[in-house]
Amino acid sequence: KSWRGWDSRGSRSANEAHRAEPSRSARNGGLVNKIQTFLVSRWHSFGHAFHGWSYVLRTQQNAWIHAVVATLVFLVALWLGIPPRDWAVLILTIAMVFTAEFINTSIEAVVDLASPLHHPLAKVGKDVGAAAVLIAALAAVLVGLLILGPPLWTRILLLVN
């Protein structure tokens, strides 16, 4: 018997195929059980995701740099009172940088697992992952300058004059 009662050919295992049809109340109880199982599995999935998030923040210095810069960007955007569309672009851009950092960290972990010794292809995998983070961060800087630059410059000039 393999995963959830299906055999390797994609059909119900012998024990599952010969069960009698359950009564209506048993089927409804089964539905409740399926919903409960689904909700518990979602809860566990969120737990795994938060554990991964915690791992990145504990082990990756660049993630802390991204977090500090993102916080500063949020504070400046609040101070400038940017419109909702600009908020959406900033949030997506910050999410893009964090996503690249998280994927890069997972690539590094898998490469370290698969190739504990130094190997040229392992280096390529890690370098390409780091390049993805660099591209995302550079794009984020450009987006930040385009969105925050003009209103920030205007606000600074008003404060100076």
Side-chain angles (χ1 to χ4, degrees):
K1 182 174 173 180
S2 66
W3 188 73
R4 294 194 181 176
W6 295 88
D7 65 18
S8 60
R9 295 181 311 271
S11 59
R12 290 301 239 177
S13 65
N15 290 340
E16 298 290 327
H18 296 296
R19 283 190 182 167
E21 183 66 27
S23 66
R24 183 179 186 100
S25 62
R27 281 194 309 261
N28 289 342
L31 178 62
V32 169
N33 189 26
K34 286 181 181 181
I35 291 171
Q36 181 181 12
T37 301
F38 173 78
L39 293 175
V40 168
S41 69
R42 293 311 91 201
W43 181 260
H44 289 294
S45 294
F46 278 107
H48 296 306
F50 284 118
H51 179 75
W53 194 343
S54 169
Y55 176 83
V56 170
L57 291 177
R58 283 184 288 115
T59 63
Q60 304 301 309
Q61 186 176 10
N62 288 341
W64 278 101
I65 295 169
H66 298 315
V68 168
V69 171
T71 302
L72 292 173
V73 166
F74 274 117
L75 292 173
V76 169
L78 281 171
W79 182 57
L80 295 173
I82 65 170
R85 185 181 349 215
D86 290 348
W87 273 108
V89 173
L90 286 178
I91 290 168
L92 287 172
T93 302
I94 291 167
M96 174 184 67
V97 173
F98 275 106
T99 300
E101 184 65 49
F102 283 40
I103 291 171
N104 182 49
T105 301
S106 65
I107 289 170
E108 289 177 353
V110 171
V111 167
D112 289 345
L113 175 66
S115 180
L117 302 175
H118 290 281
H119 190 281
L121 289 177
K123 181 181 182 337
V124 169
K126 288 184 171 193
D127 289 350
V128 171
V133 176
L134 178 63
I135 290 169
L138 291 174
V141 168
L142 290 174
V143 168
L145 289 173
L146 289 170
I147 290 177
L148 299 175
L152 182 59
W153 185 250
T154 302
R155 182 70 64 99
I156 290 171
L157 288 177
L158 288 173
L159 289 175
V160 173
N161 292 334

